[in-house]
Amino acid sequence: IRDKVYEEVDQVVGKENGKPIDVAASLPQLEFVKSCFMEALRMKTYSVGYRLAVKDHHISFPKTGKKYKVSAGNLVAVPFTMNHMDSHIFESPEKFMPERFQAKESGKVFSKDFSPFSKGRHRCSGSPLVLAEIPIFLAYLFRRYNITLLDPFPPLDWLQSFG
């Protein structure tokens, strides 16, 4: 994966030469870098949506048979990352697989299941800027430095993260 990122950066923006990157021309071509960023967001986003129940609700889970009552006035937290790590949605969710975000390769787009910035009218207003700026920042970083991962990332601790 690392070599493929470096290859794409070298091909799209060229080697370090002190000149700025042509953002408008480069961003659409940094497909694999963007896919790696999206996959990192999928695996390590701790986005939680909070909603206030305005009336009583009864929730049941057919697979487990468990039933819950959410009373009016209760605050409900929805950890969006739960979808990101669901094997019914993302094959091998514990594996870093940027190819899943390349529509040409996967044949899928996860628009309704992928929510690192929340969803709907409560979505982070800065997300379009982030999705444009971070791949360019990464291109600058990989253009200038030879980066190697020294230690693996720690696994996600659901209890610590979402208590």
Side-chain angles (χ1 to χ4, degrees), residues 52-159:
L52 185 65
V54 295
K55 62 181 183 177
D56 289 350
H57 291 277
H58 294 277
I59 302 170
S60 61
F61 294 89
K63 287 184 182 176
T64 62
K66 291 186 177 184
K67 297 179 182 183
Y68 300 92
K69 178 184 178 187
V70 179
S71 300
N74 283 351
L75 187 63
V76 179
V78 180
F80 294 111
T81 305
M82 299 294 280
N83 272 357
H84 297 176
M85 300 306 284
D86 185 336
S87 61
H88 294 97
I89 299 169
F90 295 99
E91 180 185 337
S92 302
E94 71 288 344
K95 290 184 182 174
F96 187 82
M97 297 169 46
E99 301 81 18
R100 71 176 94 233
F101 286 98
Q102 294 183 298
K104 288 182 272 184
E105 303 234 355
S106 70
K108 286 174 126 179
V109 177
F110 302 102
S111 60
K112 72 179 179 72
D113 301 311
F114 180 66
S115 51
F117 301 102
S118 188
K119 283 286 190 187
R121 66 183 182 158
H122 299 288
R123 181 184 168 135
C124 173
S125 61
S127 62
L129 180 63
V130 168
L131 294 172
E133 289 291 325
I134 296 297
I136 294 298
F137 167 76
L138 292 172
Y140 269 110
L141 194 67
F142 291 122
R143 180 184 189 196
R144 179 166 283 186
Y145 301 103
N146 185 5
I147 300 169
T148 303
L149 183 64
L150 298 178
D151 295 312
F153 285 108
L156 178 61
D157 182 342
W158 290 97
L159 188 58

Side-chain angles (χ1 to χ4, degrees), residues 10-27:
D10 286 348
Q11 194 173 41
V12 174
V13 300
K15 299 278 186 195
E16 174 60 41
N17 59 10
K19 294 181 181 177
I21 294 174
D22 181 347
V23 174
S26 301
L27 186 59

